[in-house]
């Protein structure tokens, strides 16, 4: 699109501008003579300041009056040096040596580098509001990357909230390739290359300026080879350093010969140091309006009017390495879809859809290689987004299908401005009303009132894409467009972002989510691209589509391509496009091109012909022109025209080389390589190449030399060029341009066709260009051209004429990159071969589809899964998924604190064994960004309440985070559903659940995630043979049970938390807050699968980034570990089987006599009367006195308590009071207590040991009831029983003054499976899926009570023991500790059971120590019992190498 015609008001303003210009010219003489025409105010008395003006070289002067014409009086007021010259481009007024800042004190070392306080030197102010004290922070981020930033330590200033560039969380790098020196007075920072001592970056050439609205830093460089910074029209690629100043502020102004700021802002430049290739880059992270000045010192100056100074210096041994370093920092570019590399046709205002079809037909009939047709805003109804003209474009819904019939794609344009007016039929414009209801617009300065402007559709509002709610609205509008207009397009509509800021732009005091428009103006296109990318993911799940944006910012290339804007049909513009493309490859936006044949003005046949030739080699290749000018699509010039013939010729070459171009884009996407490359990147040792910008390379090997001037006819001579390091003339007639292949490279090719969908079916080949040593190297990246989810290649065969050929090739799969490397094909040149590969999930990619017991082929196939046993890896699942999970995402709503979405079941993919495992149809996903380092994602049935773990977490009442400081970014994959969490600083994906396993039913919930590495630690309580988990198909059950440590058997506690160490050393942790029976499977993918039989999925993730920080953040969430009393760190002695208190007394004396360090004595259940809690047996009547005695001697004493209470006694107050207080677990919907068999033995029994064990238990053991510690009444009852045992109200001499408690058997444990009369609900006790627990075939009731037992939460809500079983010990521990039971000192609690929060029970005034026997908790111990130790507590990368043989190519048929 172009500009509108001038209104009357605009014409008047232009006239006034001309008048002002004339007046300004008249005033120049007065100004130059030192008589200012304006009054200058200053905050300081200039007579108190004398500038020190040493003999500074002219080329090193730093301009002191960059904002206006310099005069002596202004120079004097600013305290600068005045020295007029004949050359007006040279600063006449320049800074003295006593402006700027000095280091206050010395540098202070930090974990990441250093910091220092800078104080402003006394000097006049240039613009007022100088900040007198600033903070310098230096970070040695990597061996090649140094960052320093200068901030106001007293006032928070705007910082760019970038998705990749943010706070550094690592530690200082070692083996640095640079050295940093900080100069004290005046302040300066100097960066030197260590290898040769060359100074690369020196700010001491000029003073630091740091005011509220004026920040400046100058940098002296080692050479004049400066490239980059934009967006501008640079007529040459290497900067002209002869005193040029380039403004940067995104603006809707077309390319011209003037030094205007254009559409985007790119603050990065590269400096080639010398012919060794050594290079470095400089990047300023700042989005405010700024200038970039270059001068012949050589030096550059950044001036900006807000934010902070945040510089990165990046070193490389070559220019290409510097670009790679930069893009690893700001975000690697997208991998375009293959079809988008085809040629495209477009224009603004075809007039009607009929005219568009005529263009399609005439270019199709000439067999023009041509993949996509674009329409501009004229397809819309009155230029309103998300509409189409029902008259002129009435058949638009079927147009895409029409194009698809020819293998072509359809692309539309979208502008951001949204009309406030009704539709042409008087109905309301729903896109506006929906946005209005969600308050997603940019607002006026009050932050409430939407800002109204005028753009194409008239009165408009502007979406605030920095607002997550706006992203949600934008995604839904895009989806509505797809559903209502494009449903017959087979969802093949794409978009271009245009008109991101109209020329007059928005008011600077407008308010957006990220801040004032003053600060974020130049981020508008960047934020819109991010939002639009989310929309594309919704409409094209799992596919790479197409997106270009006119406005860009640092890092935009991750989301979008770019075109060079509204150029003109002139020979100047065809030339200027090349430096523009080269620069955007530096910026990490390699999908770049200019409008072929020019946008404005009528083109000529010669210009358009030459432009079609060179444009065939633009990465983004599109012919586009404006309304009101002659058509310029190739066919309009005539089917037999030279233009058509040469266009087809060079487009066919492009299509032939698309495999090579696509491989270059893959390398850009994964490594940060450039695609279109300046000659100097490959031939930096030749100084002539340093300023070559009328030629360019594709990658390292294809040289494009276009005709960029009108030359008329010439003689063509196609031949090998042997000339080196000198200019030579190419004779290029009307239909020819220069293309040259570099020796030493192999170029993959494919037989061309009119569309990429056709050409991809054709044979492939290799062009091998040998170097002087008769060798060549090359590679090919190949996939389906559009998928984002790729499968592994598991096998490859080579055939020739249908005969299988022996091949010693190697196939290596890289799961993190999802790419296969195939090497060693050893094919003979000059012959044709066919390669066929098997593309399926490898064994490591198998996810178990039948994790239940007794899987068979029949059961597997009933679930729609694949049965295939693997003798080579018998531990891998024989029954595995071969299709996506059955859920998709609908209606995502974003906010600054997270997102909410609905998950919808696709019943055709659903799998279930019965109604209890039948997936729930609609679910809710909530993602909450609780803090910068912690997030939560929760999946639940929002229509039917389900059990959730009733344990509180330490969560902030409202999110405590800032977008720019978040350590993570979350994306939701739409179809199939998945969640992806990525660490922002490294790009590492640490959670990726878009896997086939996800299902959510009443009694079976399963979710898998890919892991960032094989280094996983945690989960319990089970016996592990090593600290790190074994990832080779191991499954671990979690369900509390009285089970002595045994490999693979679930034991006493329940800890669903793991910590992961990423490949780069960063760490994170994940907690699943679910207390139902569960198992977790590790597989070598690496991946992890959770399966649980109830509740919900409620995940919490902490991001460290160090292992120790992960533990700190985790315990901050669940509660800090107990601080044990000092005495509990001493040695402790215990056994089960003390005969009486005399034996204990004797033991104590013997230990003392032997001088063995010894602080604590225990007693087990032996001390009780028949193992009854809160009683003393006849043989332990002296225990109270013994305890008092050893305590007087400085020791401590601990007793044991079990939770179950005997119900067989005639006089047992603990039980009778429990019945009165209603404390016991009961059968559901009755008043009957559930009894099983635990302690004690019945009185006066003689055990017949010849009977079966379960019979002995049934005959000899008393009935035991289970206190429901979740009940409030139980809590009070239990506290009372403990207190009266400690301080006996009936007989003080029987008070047992213990110092701590040992609570055991609280899994809860039984000696009898279930209940006395058996359990009553088979579904709960033998659920459809029984996790991988010990004695799996016996159900959940092994050594524990029935699952249907009814318990009550503190608020009275009934819950099933099925859900809260693994909370039993946790619920007992809390009331055991909840009161101040003792008059002095900290107490001590040792529990058999643990849950996630058990170790945080000690948060009260008088704390006890909780000792636990589970990994990861303080105080874990082993007790010696009878001499034994027993715990009491799909892509392809082909690599080719070739030596000289006959023949130049082979053909490969791919399938």
């Amino acid at each position: 699109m172009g500009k509108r015609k001038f209104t009357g008001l605009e014409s008047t303003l232009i006239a006034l501008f001309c008048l002002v210009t004339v007046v300004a010219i008249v005033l120049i003489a007065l100004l130059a003579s030192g008589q200012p025409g304006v009054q200058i105010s200053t905050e300081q008395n200039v007579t108190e300041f004398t500038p020190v003006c040493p003999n500074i070289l002219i080329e090193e002067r730093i301009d002191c009056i960059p904002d206006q014409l310099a005069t002596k009086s202004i120079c004097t007021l600013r305290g600068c040096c005045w020295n007029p010259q004949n050359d007006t481009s040279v600063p006449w007024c320049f800074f003295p040596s006593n402006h700027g800042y000095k280091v206050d004190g010395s540098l202070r070392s930090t974990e990441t580098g250093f910091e220092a306080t800078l104080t402003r030197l006394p000097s006049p102010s240039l613009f007022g509001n100088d900040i007198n004290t600033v903070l310098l922070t230096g970070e040695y981020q990597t061996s090649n990357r140094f960052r320093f930033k200068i901030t106001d330590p007293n006032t928070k200033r705007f910082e760019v909230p970038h998705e990749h560039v943010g706070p550094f969380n690592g530690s200082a790098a070692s083996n640095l390739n640079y050295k940093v020196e900080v100069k004290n007075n005046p302040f300066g920072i100097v960066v030197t290359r260590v290898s040769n001592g060359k100074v690369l970056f020196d700010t001491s050439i000029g003073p630091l300026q740091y005011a509220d609205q004026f920040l400046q830093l100058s940098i002296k460089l080692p050479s004049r080879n400066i490239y980059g910074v934009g967006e501008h029209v640079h007529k040459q690629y290497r900067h002209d350093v002869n005193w040029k100043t380039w403004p940067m502020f995104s603006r809707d102004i077309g390319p011209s010969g003037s030094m205007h700021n254009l559409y985007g802002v790119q603050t990065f430049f590269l400096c080639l140091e010398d012919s060794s290739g050594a290079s470095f880059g400089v990047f300023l992270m700042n989005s405010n309006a700024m200038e970039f000045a270059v001068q012949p010192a050589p030096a550059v100056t950044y001036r900006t009017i807000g934010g902070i100074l945040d510089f990165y210096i990046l070193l490389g041994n070559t220019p290409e390495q510097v670009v790679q370093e930069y893009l690893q920092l700001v975000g690697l570019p997208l991998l375009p879809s293959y079809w988008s590399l085809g040629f495209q046709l477009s224009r603004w205002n075809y007039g009607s859809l009929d005219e568009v079809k005529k263009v399609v037909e005439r270019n199709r009939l000439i067999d023009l290689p041509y993949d996509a047709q674009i329409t501009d805003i004229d397809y819309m109804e009155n230029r309103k987004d998300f509409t189409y003209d029902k008259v002129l474009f009435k058949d638009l819904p079927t147009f895409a299908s029409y194009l698809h019939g020819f293998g072509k794609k359809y692309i539309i344009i979208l502008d951001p401005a949204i009309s406030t007016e009704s539709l042409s039929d008087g109905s309301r414009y729903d896109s506006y009303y929906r946005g209005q209801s969600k308050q997603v617009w940019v607002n006026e300065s009050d932050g409430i009132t939407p800002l109204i402007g005028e753009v194409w559709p008239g009165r408009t509002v502007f979406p605030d894409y920095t607002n997550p709610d706006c992203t949600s609205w934008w995604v839904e509008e895009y989806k509505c467009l797809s559903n209502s207009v494009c449903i017959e397009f087979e969802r093949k509509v794409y978009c271009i972002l245009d008109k991101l800021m109209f020329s007059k732009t928005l008011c600077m005091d407008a308010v957006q989510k990220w801040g004032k428009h003053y600060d974020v103006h130049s981020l508008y296109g960047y934020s819109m691209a991010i939002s639009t990318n989310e929309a594309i993911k919704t409409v094209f799940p799992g596919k790479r589509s197409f997106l270009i944006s006119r406005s860009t910012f640092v890092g935009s290339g991750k989301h979008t391509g770019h075109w060079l804007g509204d150029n003109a049909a002139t020979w100047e513009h065809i030339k200027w496009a090349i430096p523009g493309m080269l620069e955007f490859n530096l910026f990490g936006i390699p999908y770049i091109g200019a409008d072929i044949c020019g946008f404005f003005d009528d083109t000529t046949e010669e210009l358009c012909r030459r432009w079609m030739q060179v444009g065939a080699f633009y990465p983004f290749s599109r012919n586009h022109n404006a309304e009101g000018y002659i058509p310029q699509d190739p066919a309009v010039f005539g089917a037999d025209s030279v233009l058509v013939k040469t266009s087809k010729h060079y487009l066919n070459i492009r299509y032939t080389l698309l495999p090579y171009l696509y491989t270059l884009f893959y390398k850009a996407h994964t490594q940060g390589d450039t695609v279109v490359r300046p000659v100097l990147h490959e031939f930096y040792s030749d100084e002539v190449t340093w300023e070559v910008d009328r030629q360019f390379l594709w990658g390292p090997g294809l040289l494009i030399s276009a005709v960029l001037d009108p030359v008329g006819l010439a003689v063509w001579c196609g031949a090998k060029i042997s000339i080196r390091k000198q200019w030579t003339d190419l004779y290029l007639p009307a239909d020819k341009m220069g293309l040259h292949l570099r020796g030493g490279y192999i170029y993959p090719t494919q037989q061309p066709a009119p569309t990429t969908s056709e050409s991809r079916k054709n044979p492939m080949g290799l062009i091998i260009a040998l170097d002087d040593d008769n060798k060549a190297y090359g590679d090919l990246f190949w996939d389906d051209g559009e998928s984002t989810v790729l499968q592994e290649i598991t096998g490859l065969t080579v055939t020739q004429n249908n005969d299988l050929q022996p091949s010693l090739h190697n196939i290596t799969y890289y799961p993190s990159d999802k790419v296969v490397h195939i090497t060693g094909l050893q094919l003979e040149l000059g012959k044709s071969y066919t390669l066929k590969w098997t593309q399926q999930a490898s064994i490591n990619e198998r996810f178990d589809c039948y994790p239940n017991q007794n899987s068979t082929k029949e059961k597997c196939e009933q679930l729609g899964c694949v049965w295939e046993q693997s003798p080579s890896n018998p531990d891998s699942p024989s029954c595995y998924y071969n299709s996506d999970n059955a859920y998709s995402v609908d209606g995502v709503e974003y906010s600054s604190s997270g997102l909410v979405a609905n998950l919808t079941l696709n019943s055709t993919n659903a799998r279930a064994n019965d109604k209890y495992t039948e997936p729930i149809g609609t679910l809710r996903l909530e993602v909450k960004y609780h803090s910068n380092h912690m997030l939560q994602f929760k999946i639940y049935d929002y229509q039917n309440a389900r059990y959730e773990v009733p344990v509180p977490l330490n969560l902030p009442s409202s999110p405590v985070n800032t977008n720019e400081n978040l350590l993570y970014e979350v994306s939701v994959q739409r179809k199939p559903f998945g969640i992806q969490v990525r660490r922002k600083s490294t790009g590492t994906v640490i959670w990726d659940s878009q896997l086939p396993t996800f299902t959510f039913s009443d009694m079976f919930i399963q979710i898998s995630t890919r892991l960032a590495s094989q280094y996983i630690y945690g989960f319990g309580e089970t016996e592990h043979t090593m600290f790190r988990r074994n990832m080779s198909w191991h499954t671990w059950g979690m369900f509390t049970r009285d089970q002595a440590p045994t490999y693979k058997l679930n034991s006493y506690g329940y800890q669903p938390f793991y910590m992961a160490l990423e490949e780069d050393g960063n760490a994170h942790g994940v907690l699943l807050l679910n207390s139902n029976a569960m198992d977790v499977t590790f597989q070598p993918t690496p991946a992890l699968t959770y399966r649980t039989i109830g509740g919900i999925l409620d995940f919490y993730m902490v991001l460290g980034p160090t292992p120790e920080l992960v533990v700190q953040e985790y315990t901050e969430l669940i509660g800090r570990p107990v601080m044990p009393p000092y005495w509990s760190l001493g040695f402790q002695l215990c056994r089960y089987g003390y005969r009486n208190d005399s034996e204990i007394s004797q033991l104590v004396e013997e230990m003392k006599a032997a001088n063995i360090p010894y602080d604590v004595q225990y007693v087990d259940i032996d001390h009780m009367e028949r193992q009854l809690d809160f009683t003393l047996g006849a043989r332990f009547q002296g225990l109270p006195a013994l305890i008092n005695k050893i305590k007087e001697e400085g020791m401590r004493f601990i007793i044991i308590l079990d939770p179950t209470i005997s119900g067989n006694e005639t006089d047992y107050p603990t039980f009778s009071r429990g019945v009165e207080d209603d404390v016991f677990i009961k059968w559901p919907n009755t008043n009957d207590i559930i009894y099983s068999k635990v302690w004690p033995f019945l009185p006066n029994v003689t055990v017949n040991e010849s009977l079966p064990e379960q019979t002995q238990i049934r005959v000899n053991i008393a009935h035991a009831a289970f206190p429901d510690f979740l009940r409030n009444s139980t809590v009070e009852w239990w506290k009372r029983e403990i207190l009266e045992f400690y301080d006996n109200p009936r007989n003080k001499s029987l008070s047992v003054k213990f110092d701590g408690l040992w609570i055991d058997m609280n899994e809860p444990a039984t000696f009898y499976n279930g209940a006395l009369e058996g359990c009553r609900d088979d579904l709960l006790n033998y659920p459809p899926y029984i996790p991988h627990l010990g004695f799996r075939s016996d159900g959940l009731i092994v050594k524990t009570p029935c699952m249907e037992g009814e318990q009550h939460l503190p608020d009275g809500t009934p819950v099933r023991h099925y859900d809260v079983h693994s909370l039993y010990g946790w619920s007992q521990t809390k009331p055991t500790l909840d009161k101040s039971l003792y008059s002095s000192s900290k107490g001590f609690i040792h529990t058999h059971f643990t849950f996630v929060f058990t170790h945080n029970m000690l948060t009260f005034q008088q704390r006890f120590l909780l000792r636990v026997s589970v990994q990861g908790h303080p105080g874990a111990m082993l007790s010696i019992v009878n001499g034994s130790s027993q715990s009491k507590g799909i892509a392809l990368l082909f690599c080719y190498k070739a030596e000289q043989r006959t023949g130049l190519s082979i053909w490969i048929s791919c399938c």
Side-chain angles (χ1 to χ4, degrees), residues 242 283 285 327 380 406 445 591 752 754 773 820 964 983 1011 1044 1101 1112 1338:
N242 188 30
F283 160 49
M285 178 50 90
L327 299 188
M380 302 175 185
F406 305 127
S445 58
Y591 190 65
D773 297 324
V820 170
E964 64 270 21
R983 185 181 295 278
L1011 301 171
M1101 182 177 288
Q1112 292 173 17
D1338 294 331

Side-chain angles (χ1 to χ4, degrees), residues 851-895:
N852 220 333
Q853 304 172 83
N854 305 317
S855 65
T856 65
K857 181 179 181 182
E858 181 182 9
K859 293 176 182 178
C860 177
E861 292 177 349
Q862 284 177 353
L863 292 175
C865 295
V866 175
W867 179 267
E868 182 184 2
Q869 294 178 311
S870 175
S872 62
N873 196 335
D875 294 326
S876 65
S878 298
C879 179
Y880 59 91
Y881 294 91
N882 67 339
S883 61
D884 294 331
N885 74 63
Y887 285 91
S888 59
V889 177
D890 186 28
V892 182
E893 296 182 5
Y894 295 87
S895 69

Side-chain angles (χ1 to χ4, degrees), residues 20-167:
V20 170
T21 303
V22 172
V23 173
I25 294 171
V26 173
L27 290 175
I28 287 177
L30 291 173
L31 293 169
S33 65
Q35 300 177 19
V38 295
Q39 183 178 357
I40 304 297
S41 62
T42 181
E43 296 178 357
Q44 299 188 23
N45 187 346
V46 294
T47 59
E48 298 176 1
F49 178 81
T50 302
V52 176
C53 300
N55 186 20
I56 298 175
L57 295 174
I58 290 176
E59 58 266 26
E60 294 189 0
R61 293 180 176 184
I62 303 300
D63 196 351
C64 188
I65 311 179
D67 54 310
Q68 57 183 293
L69 189 66
T71 67
K72 185 175 182 180
S73 59
I74 298 174
C75 191
T76 301
L77 286 172
R78 294 188 176 184
C80 291
C81 306
W82 179 256
N83 185 353
Q85 300 290 314
N86 292 329
D87 186 351
T88 56
S89 63
V90 173
W92 293 9
C93 179
F94 52 95
F95 279 102
S97 60
N98 54 338
H99 261 269
Y101 287 73
K102 67 176 181 179
V103 177
D104 189 357
S106 58
L107 297 186
R108 303 180 292 274
S109 295
T110 66
E111 185 179 347
T112 58
F114 62 83
E115 65 178 23
T117 300
L118 309 181
T119 304
R120 188 173 184 273
L121 296 173
S123 59
S125 174
L126 269 67
F127 300 101
N129 296 319
D130 294 279
I131 298 170
N132 290 321
T133 301
V134 296
L135 178 68
L136 167 70
T137 304
E139 296 172 348
Y140 306 125
Q141 294 193 348
T142 72
S143 59
N144 286 323
R145 185 171 80 222
F146 171 65
R147 176 199 192 186
F148 72 91
K149 67 175 184 175
I150 303 174
T151 57
D152 183 348
N154 300 313
T155 303
K156 175 70 175 175
R157 295 178 62 83
F158 176 77
E159 297 186 34
V160 177
H162 198 272
E163 60 178 330
H164 285 289
V165 185

Side-chain angles (χ1 to χ4, degrees), residues 1371-1423:
S1371 65
Q1372 183 198 15
T1373 305
K1374 192 174 190 300
T1376 306
L1377 298 164
D1378 219 3
K1379 292 290 184 181
S1380 300
L1381 301 181
Y1382 310 114
S1383 58
S1384 64
S1385 77
K1386 294 178 181 176
F1388 176 102
I1389 297 295
H1390 164 208
T1391 180
H1392 213 206
F1393 162 93
T1394 63
F1395 185 65
V1396 171
F1397 308 86
T1398 313
H1399 67 294
N1400 186 39
M1401 295 301 181
L1402 308 179
T1403 58
F1404 312 100
Q1405 184 177 358
Q1406 288 182 299
R1407 294 181 295 176
F1408 300 82
L1409 171 66
L1410 172 64
R1411 288 193 70 182
V1412 295
S1413 51
V1414 64
Q1415 83 280 357
H1417 290 276
M1421 62 175 273
L1422 291 176
S1423 298

Side-chain angles (χ1 to χ4, degrees), residues 646-716:
T646 192
S647 297
K648 288 173 59 178
H649 176 71
Y650 286 106
L651 285 173
N652 274 316
I653 293 176
R654 175 191 182 90
Y655 277 56
T656 299
L657 290 172
L658 278 185
Y660 174 66
L661 179 63
Y662 193 52
T663 302
L664 295 177
F665 269 104
Y666 171 75
K667 292 182 178 181
H669 174 63
T670 56
Q671 301 170 190
D673 291 15
T674 57
V675 174
V676 163
R677 192 170 301 177
V679 178
L680 75 93
H681 276 217
E682 295 296 319
F683 302 97
Y684 41 75
S685 61
D686 185 352
E687 296 186 15
V688 175
T689 67
W690 296 354
E691 53 184 342
V692 171
D693 53 22
R694 295 184 66 167
Q695 297 171 283
F696 59 94
L697 293 164
W698 267 12
L702 177 65
L703 178 66
I704 294 99
S705 305
V707 177
L708 305 176
D709 292 292
V711 294
L713 296 177
V715 178
W716 166 248

